[in-house]
Amino acid sequence: MNILFAASEIEPFAKSGGLADVCGTLPRELEAAGHEVVVFMPAYRCVRRCEQPITPTSIELAVPVGSKLISGRLLESRLPNSDIPVYLVEQADYFDRNELYGENGESYTDNCERFVFFCRAVLEAARLMELEIDLVHANDWQTALLPVYLNTEFLDAPPFTDVATLLTIHNLAYQGRFWHWDMLLTGLDWKYFNWRQMEFYGQLNLLKSGIAFADAINTVSPTYATEIQGSEQGCGLEGALQGRSSDLSGILNGIDSLVWNPSRDPYLAMKYTVANWREGKARNKVSLQKQLGLQVNDSLPMVGIVGRLASQKGWDLILPVMKQWLKTIDVQWVVLGTGQPEYETELLNLQHAHQDKFSMNLQFNEGLAHMIEAASDMFLMPSEFEPCGLNQMYSMAYGSVPIVRRTGGLADTVINCNERNLDNGTATGFSFGPFLPQSLEQALAKAVCCFQNGQATWNLLVENGMKNDWSWAASTARYVELYEKTLTLRRQTHQHV
Ligand code: ADP
């Protein structure tokens, strides 16, 4: 099958979160399964720092955005360890900026225009290159206009004849909502600006538009696929999603086992496997303690947290528990993340007050993220909601026992340590339900108690997690199945029109 894959961030070219990991890995897995994939993303300023060679192409683009014709150019690279072409859409005014989507906590004010341009540029480039395409796979709001254009303005225009579309929702909380006049930028007829398609409480909603027009929709875990059809997690789009429930599925993300693998990870002080994890983790812990100026003691429990400092990640639960524990309990905390200024300030204050047992790392640092997974005994991720989550899977692969809230992909990947799950040999971590500090504290206390007094159980949790198959194999097969089903349905429906 020929797949055109479009996303706003792709590892190793640009990354702000898990979307980039997924979009850097899934195309490679599809190629390994025998499919032809081409990938499109914007040429942000940061892509120049990427080690992958990037070369110009002769393809010049002229893209209508509202009443303007915007010029752009296509650059070309490859996904590492693959033959997959990555086409980077260059347009300096839109993409040659410090960040991907905004600065100092504020989104760029022209984000709608930037991604209208990007989506149209992808289609224009595919047309100029006469790409053979069976299916266009769009990801999140930034590329959600692709299914809209392919079912309106570009319907059956070569080379898009019979092209099927899939929209993957990586996080429903980010929808690309803009004032209604931005509809003019899309160049689409106002007739689509209605509550069933592109309009949402008077605004233009790009994700909703994609949900309305894509042939199939999926999200990144089965539990999240169910949750987003309810009012609690539906972010206002539960009605739109319920309306498409027969076309909506959940496919769990996998992890890139070339990159996230403790037996070959170049960032670690000592590489290890499930056969020597005790020594490996102890050596990495001591090394990280020295590096971060923490008390050096490999028997002290270390709790790791890596992720965006956003309320989604449960900081309103973590901070009160952390503050209490730092005063009374001998546990080391290592945090890596950037995000909401109020969390940054509180975490820096804690670092000042408790230098020997608290390390706050306010940065985006890939190497440190790997070291934290390897060095920590426990990994905390009590998200309010979590479409899939990658860090809990990384932590299990690295033998760091996850403590999570049972929601979305966390519920689908972390099996709670209780009698039944220990007996049947599936337990991999600790999970709790209510979004309350005391529930987190209980789970954390249970984990620390098990670490200190229940060696046999702890070993089992670590080893179950490390032995699990977190690779993309099963999920890639599910994506291929979904592509095939979507394409067949699309072609059948079109024959009957
Ligand atoms: P989300 O996509 O919601 O941010 P995920 O757990 O799915 O959460 O993925 C987060 C990804 O971003 C992981 O690869 C994680 O290691 C990485 N990450 C997040 N913050 C940082 C940071 N400050 N430094 C390095 N990596 C980070």
Side-chain angles (χ1 to χ4, degrees), residues 148-163:
V148 183
Y149 286 127
L150 287 167
N151 283 294
T152 53
E153 204 179 309
F154 290 79
L155 184 66
D156 283 340
F160 307 114
T161 319
D162 274 347
V163 164

Side-chain angles (χ1 to χ4, degrees), residues 383-409:
S383 305
E384 189 179 1
F385 64 94
E386 194 57 72
C388 176
L390 293 169
N391 274 308
Q392 83 281 11
M393 292 193 266
Y394 299 153
S395 83
M396 289 185 273
Y398 280 64
S400 180
V401 173
I403 301 160
V404 304
R405 196 169 91 79
R406 258 190 311 279
T407 180

Side-chain angles (χ1 to χ4, degrees), residues 15 17-18 21 307-308 313 336-337 363-365 389-391 394:
K15 169 168 169 176
D21 298 63
R308 291 179 291 116
K313 300 292 177 185
L336 170 64
Q363 44 184 288
F364 199 94
N365 184 331
L390 293 169
N391 274 308
Y394 299 153

Side-chain angles (χ1 to χ4, degrees), residues 355-485:
Q355 307 228 343
D356 60 333
K357 50 171 152 167
F358 189 88
S359 169
M360 178 61 217
N361 303 276
L362 207 59
Q363 44 184 288
F364 199 94
N365 184 331
E366 191 73 25
L368 187 54
H370 286 242
M371 257 313 264
I372 292 173
E373 300 287 9
S376 59
D377 302 294
M378 293 151 224
F379 191 87
L380 202 54
M381 202 161 162
S383 305
E384 189 179 1
F385 64 94
E386 194 57 72
C388 176
L390 293 169
N391 274 308
Q392 83 281 11
M393 292 193 266
Y394 299 153
S395 83
M396 289 185 273
Y398 280 64
S400 180
V401 173
I403 301 160
V404 304
R405 196 169 91 79
R406 258 190 311 279
T407 180
L410 297 172
D412 291 337
T413 52
V414 177
I415 311 295
N416 191 26
C417 175
N418 57 28
E419 224 167 282
R420 183 170 52 103
N421 296 334
L422 283 170
D423 283 349
N424 65 24
T426 56
T428 51
F430 296 85
S431 63
F432 63 95
F435 189 68
L436 297 168
Q438 54 268 39
S439 306
L440 166 61
E441 185 169 17
Q442 276 168 13
L444 192 58
K446 210 172 139 191
V448 171
C449 176
C450 180
F451 175 79
Q452 289 173 326
N453 310 314
Q455 198 62 52
T457 306
W458 192 261
N459 293 348
L460 204 70
L461 294 175
V462 170
E463 288 170 19
N464 283 347
M466 289 187 78
K467 284 183 197 157
N468 236 318
D469 179 10
W470 302 110
S471 76
W472 268 96
S475 301
T476 306
R478 292 214 50 211
Y479 269 103
V480 171
E481 232 172 78
L482 180 57
Y483 290 161
E484 280 166 354
K485 185 175 135 201

